Amino acid sequence: MAASLLSQVRAQETAIATLRRALSRGKVHHAYLFDGPAGVGKELAAFGLAQALVCERRGLTAPDDDACGECSACKRVPLREGERRPTHPDVALLERGLYEPGTIGRRTQESQDISIDQVRTIVLARAAFAPHEGRAKVFIVRRAEELSISAANALLKTLEEPGQGTHFILMSSQADSLLSTIRSRTQRLRFGLLPDADVVAILTARGIDPQQANAVARLAGGSVETGATLADPELAGARDAFVQKALRAIAAPDMGPALELAEELKKVKGDLGTLLTALGDALAADARTFAMANDPKAEASAARYRLTLVAARQLDGNASAQLAMESMFARMRAV
Ligand SMILES: [Zn+2]
């Protein structure tokens, strides 16, 4: 039996209960804003709601608060292997660069934003018509914060009064950067970070080795997307290499290697937090091992571990990456 998409969303109890209640009462809002970080289930929930709305059996031979997951309509909603868009004619996906320029009346690829051309062709041209298969019409917008101002403005009227059976699901990890006129026309549902156990379960189900899934889940901060990136062998290799270099720099006779590493790290800005967490983990593991052996070096490893947390806070506060790293290494060496 194929499970409905909604039933596969993990941990987002409040959001999913709200959607199920709306479905069973026949009061599904015409425009939702799924607000939350990447990789926590917004996408699965959006396709799940779309599936429930177009399902042929919901409320008939299947419960009224979820898709059956098995009828012909249900099967055409999830993205198939190698497909970028759902095959169901009443479920449309919007995303920057998703369509060939020619099909949305453009000469060039959308590189900056979701253009007004995409909104005109994919939404406005269809919004006035009844659903092909009679149940509902659903527009899902990935990274809605990428709507251009003109695209967002073009969407406003339809978003406010989309017509019978038409629904919008906007997804965003930066909901506050959406135009307030868009936000005020939507019902906001929050999606929080996942518990580590759920990240492990999802990664394992995707074929990642359970031991590795456990290791990366600790660093993933509750996001499956981050976890999957971390499990990438190339990135894992880069992380291990950083930890080794950092440990050597701490133990080196002079600041040379530390300054060199700090200089190198200027460039990785985005992933620096993850690298620091990995270094912190290695130092904390050392501290535990030393402590168990009653080795006095435990104290130094623990102090160095705490310095990684200080550095992480400085980076969150937008300190210069190079200076924060230099000062961290200097203080670690002085321990
Ligand atoms: Zn169905």
Side-chain angles (χ1 to χ4, degrees):
M1 251 178 60
S4 74
L5 298 175
L6 217 48
S7 71
Q8 297 171 43
V9 179
R10 299 181 77 105
Q12 308 293 354
E13 283 92 4
T14 312
I16 300 305
T18 305
L19 294 176
R20 286 183 180 273
R21 217 163 31 239
L23 283 162
S24 69
R25 290 180 186 162
K27 290 197 170 157
V28 177
H29 200 271
H30 59 265
Y32 286 99
L33 172 56
F34 286 7
D35 166 15
V40 300
K42 298 194 303 290
E43 170 117 357
L44 194 55
F47 280 86
L49 177 58
Q51 193 183 42
L53 286 166
V54 300
C55 174
E56 293 160 6
R57 299 184 194 156
R58 183 171 64 89
L60 301 168
T61 54
D64 58 10
D65 68 345
D66 198 357
C68 76
E70 296 185 316
C71 70
S72 136
C74 274
K75 284 187 182 143
R76 286 174 288 147
V77 175
L79 300 182
R80 292 179 189 163
E81 188 82 38
E83 295 276 344
R84 296 181 70 200
R85 298 184 282 272
T87 44
H88 196 295
D90 293 323
V91 180
L93 187 58
L94 284 91
E95 181 186 14
R96 172 171 56 87
L98 183 62
Y99 297 90
E100 286 300 315
T103 63
I104 53 173
R106 288 174 62 84
R107 266 188 246 138
T108 56
Q109 187 64 251
E110 292 168 319
S111 55
Q112 305 286 325
D113 47 29
I114 304 174
S115 68
I116 188 168
D117 308 302
Q118 184 172 158
V119 167
R120 274 200 194 113
T121 332
I122 306 301
V123 182
L124 304 184
R126 304 181 191 192
F129 299 100
H132 286 269
E133 300 188 7
R135 284 168 208 85
K137 206 162 23 167
V138 189
F139 297 99
I140 299 174
V141 187
R142 273 189 189 137
R143 293 190 299 279
E145 71 275 8
E146 293 185 350
L147 282 162
S148 74
I149 292 189
S150 56
N153 282 326
L155 205 54
L156 286 181
K157 195 173 173 333
T158 316
L159 211 51
E160 191 160 48
E161 294 177 338
Q164 191 66 27
T166 298
H167 301 269
F168 285 87
I169 307 167
L170 278 56
M171 296 187 273
S172 181
S173 58
Q174 295 164 50
D176 289 323
S177 66
L178 288 171
L179 289 182
S180 62
T181 42
I182 292 268
R183 278 203 311 270
S184 65
R185 284 165 170 79
T186 56
Q187 183 182 331
R188 196 155 168 171
L189 281 189
R190 289 181 201 277
F191 286 70
L193 290 163
L194 298 173
D196 286 359
D198 290 293
V199 175
V200 172
I202 296 168
L203 291 175
T204 313
R206 289 191 189 171
I208 289 169
D209 168 68
Q211 207 179 345
Q212 198 193 5
N214 263 300
V216 297
R218 292 205 48 248
L219 303 174
S223 159
V224 172
E225 191 167 286
T226 310
T229 312
L230 289 170
D232 184 304
E234 207 171 304
L235 294 170
R239 217 163 46 242
D240 291 346
F242 163 74
V243 171
Q244 293 314 316
K245 272 191 198 169
L247 294 176
R248 278 201 298 274
I250 297 165
D254 57 66
M255 265 299 273
L259 294 176
E260 221 169 274
L261 187 53
E263 165 84 32
E264 254 178 62
L265 289 172
K266 269 197 310 195
K267 295 171 227 143
V268 295
K269 214 174 175 188
D271 297 313
L272 198 47
T274 325
L275 294 180
L276 268 181
T277 310
L279 177 60
D281 278 357
L283 291 165
D286 280 352
R288 276 193 301 275
T289 313
F290 290 138
M292 276 194 298
N294 277 325
D295 188 323
K297 287 203 287 277
E299 197 51 46
S301 294
R304 286 170 182 151
Y305 159 69
R306 286 192 295 274
L307 287 168
T308 63
L309 303 180
V310 173
R313 271 199 302 279
Q314 287 172 342
L315 291 173
D316 282 347
N318 280 326
S320 141
Q322 189 177 1
L323 289 180
M325 288 299 100
E326 281 180 15
S327 120
M328 181 188 79
F329 285 126
R331 292 173 69 185
M332 282 181 172
R333 291 167 48 79
V335 163

